[in-house]
Amino acid sequence: MIIDRLYEEIKDKGNVCVGLDTHMDYIPEEMKSKYKKLEEIIFQYNKRIIDCTSDITAIYKLQIAYYESYGIEGLKAYKRTLEYLRKIGSLSIGDVKRGDISATADMYAKAHFEGDFETDFITINPYMGFDSITPYLKYLEDGKKGIFVLLRTSNEGAKDIEYLEAEGKPVYYHVGDKLEEMGKKYMGKSGYSSIGAVVGGTHQDEAVEIRDRYKNMFFLIPGYGAQGARGEDVGKYLNGLNGGIVNSSRGIIKAYMKYNDGVEKFDQYTREAVLNMREDIGYEG
Amino acid sequence: MIIDRLYEEIKDKGNVCVGLDTHMDYIPEEMKSKYKKLEEIIFQYNKRIIDCTSDITAIYKLQIAYYESYGIEGLKAYKRTLEYLRKIGSLSIGDVKRGDISATADMYAKAHFEGDFETDFITINPYMGFDSITPYLKYLEDGKKGIFVLLRTSNEGAKDIEYLEAEGKPVYYHVGDKLEEMGKKYMGKSGYSSIGAVVGGTHQDEAVEIRDRYKNMFFLIPGYGAQGARGEDVGKYLNGLNGGIVNSSRGIIKAYMKYNDGVEKFDQYTREAVLNMREDIGYEG
């Protein structure tokens, strides 16, 4: 099961998920002028980050919105980055948050688990119901792929739908309870299922409750750094460090920008950002 | 307001939205062998359908999942089809159902309202809350773009979340009530807002109720044909025909496959499928 591979990666490398939400504004002029095509510039920037962090990063997450915003060229960079990660043996998440049903969901599954945009895990939006999740499950059966379904996110708007109280529990528990049940078919040796959940790292008050309720569920935790969650907050979701990964994007891929000599020491500052975050979360290696 | 343009198109052409969910299996060998590249094959197939239906089709909807499943080549066909529609003056919907927040939603808005994948309307998933909708609104302000937000869909799984009863009303009313309120800022002369909703054409029992509740909201109605909704069913959502568009994909783009001489008379059969559907819905043009 792919989830076991992720579990092992975490033991070796820590709980950091580096979010490659790459924007052209983050890329130093020195790197931009070296390459002609946008595809190449973005890919080379990602490669640079990957090369200096892959021994301390359990998994990389690519937010596809950034690549889509650059059109065909951007998506070529998305494709190449995923290919590169696969080549060097690093795991990846395509943060696509797709949510659709039947034949359409089949097409999304094909798009992101095969072909140009193949990745190890994708994120899924459950609004349309659980038949928007089932089409992906055939890829989980042989253990090669996994999914993270949006459960309870870290944004202000989470209250609008996710937190609505329905039939005695919040909407996100309706999602989670069903996922926990579906996940039993895809359990790894690690004790976690290849059906994971996206759970925002803020709202520490209910962190323990949500962690206890979904013992078999591995969490992808956004919200660290830029969105306000601290190491001690996200720690509560981690189940003794092995039940989740914590994503940081800007905190790492823009880390070099905080320093006058950031461009010269790009690798060092980027790496330090991952190491500091790893320590802040509580990894003792 | 773009919604007024759609309203006028409907008066002239009827309520049919042709869904270009193009799969290679639908394309006749004769067309496939004419072109080398997948991009060209899919684009030419779409163009053929558009050319024989554009005078009787208010708007075209492209389900991006189909194009994503063919990777970069597929997305080039997606781009070219949208460009072609714009060139001939036809409206388009990018059925992308994206749902994300803040900076990421900004990127999705940029991706689908500007640049390579520019379209007139996109569909949006509201699960993460209303801050996953606000980033798109700046494109509505000058009247050039519109959105359709998932409200109540036509699939079996709609019961899992959309129908959950929360604080006295179903989740989809929570979505709809807020959208109706947000939409007041983007009202067109037609009496409809550029914030529309996706409302499945099945479940006729509550069709009248939902139509009455959201008087200012224009509906994009899937579920016709392949998904089981009939003309009389979807009619109830249309508000005297001008308050919605009804999508059909396979019923139109695969129509020719039902006939022995389908390939020779491709244009005729495709056109007839649109005309029959238009009449079935109740258009008297």
Side-chain angles (χ1 to χ4, degrees), chain A residues 21 23 63-73 75-76 79 95-108 110-112 114 116-117 125-132 150-167 171-172 174-175 227 250, chain B residues 21 23 63-73 75-76 79 95-108 110-112 114 116-117 125-132 150-167 171-172 174-175 227 250:
Chain A
D21 304 1
H23 193 289
Q63 172 48 262
I64 200 171
Y66 283 80
Y67 302 87
E68 278 185 37
S69 79
Y70 295 113
I72 297 292
E73 286 296 302
L75 286 161
K76 284 183 184 169
K79 171 182 184 285
D95 193 358
V96 298
K97 296 192 182 69
R98 300 302 189 245
D100 219 308
I101 51 158
S102 57
T104 304
D106 284 334
M107 291 298 112
Y108 275 135
K110 192 164 167 276
H112 299 283
E114 299 179 34
D116 281 355
F117 308 133
N125 185 315
Y127 182 74
M128 292 181 76
F130 300 113
D131 53 3
S132 60
L150 288 181
L151 192 65
R152 208 225 43 214
T153 53
S154 49
N155 56 313
E156 178 74 27
K159 68 180 185 326
D160 298 328
I161 295 170
E162 299 169 20
Y163 274 89
L164 285 176
E165 197 74 15
E167 298 165 19
V171 166
Y172 72 85
H174 286 267
V175 177
Q227 287 174 60
R250 281 165 283 177
Chain B
D21 304 0
H23 193 287
Q63 171 48 260
I64 199 171
Y66 284 79
Y67 302 87
E68 279 186 36
S69 79
Y70 296 114
I72 298 291
E73 286 296 303
L75 286 161
K76 284 183 184 170
K79 170 182 185 283
D95 192 358
V96 298
K97 296 191 180 72
R98 300 301 188 247
D100 220 307
I101 51 158
S102 57
T104 304
D106 284 334
M107 291 297 112
Y108 276 134
K110 191 164 168 278
H112 299 282
E114 298 179 36
D116 281 356
F117 308 133
N125 185 317
Y127 182 74
M128 291 180 76
F130 300 113
D131 53 3
S132 60
L150 288 180
L151 192 65
R152 209 228 41 217
T153 53
S154 49
N155 58 311
E156 179 73 25
K159 66 178 187 328
D160 298 329
I161 295 170
E162 300 170 20
Y163 275 88
L164 286 177
E165 197 72 15
E167 297 164 21
V171 166
Y172 72 84
H174 286 267
V175 177
Q227 288 174 59
R250 280 166 283 177

Side-chain angles (χ1 to χ4, degrees), chain B residues 169-182:
Chain B
K169 59 187 183 186
V171 166
Y172 72 84
Y173 273 176
H174 286 267
V175 177
D177 291 357
K178 180 72 180 184
L179 292 179
E180 177 93 346
E181 185 196 318
M182 290 169 90

Side-chain angles (χ1 to χ4, degrees), chain A residues 237-258:
Chain A
Y237 292 97
L238 289 179
N239 221 13
L241 288 184
N242 57 32
I245 36 166
V246 184
N247 183 72
S248 175
S249 301
R250 281 165 283 177
I252 293 165
I253 69 172
K254 288 175 72 179
Y256 86 93
M257 293 174 101
K258 287 188 294 185

Side-chain angles (χ1 to χ4, degrees), chain A residues 254-268:
Chain A
K254 288 175 72 179
Y256 86 93
M257 293 174 101
K258 287 188 294 185
Y259 304 94
N260 286 333
D261 58 350
V263 176
E264 297 95 84
K265 298 187 178 171
F266 182 92
D267 295 359
Q268 181 194 323

Side-chain angles (χ1 to χ4, degrees), chain B residues 41-89:
Chain B
I41 294 168
I42 295 177
F43 170 68
Q44 291 294 343
Y45 187 70
N46 287 349
K47 180 174 180 300
R48 182 89 182 255
I49 292 165
I50 295 164
D51 286 343
C52 69
T53 59
S54 67
D55 62 319
I56 49 172
T57 299
I59 193 163
Y60 292 86
K61 180 170 83 65
L62 278 75
Q63 171 48 260
I64 199 171
Y66 284 79
Y67 302 87
E68 279 186 36
S69 79
Y70 296 114
I72 298 291
E73 286 296 303
L75 286 161
K76 284 183 184 170
Y78 180 81
K79 170 182 185 283
R80 280 183 69 186
T81 305
L82 290 174
E83 283 167 356
Y84 183 69
L85 288 168
R86 200 156 49 241
K87 193 184 116 191
I88 65 166

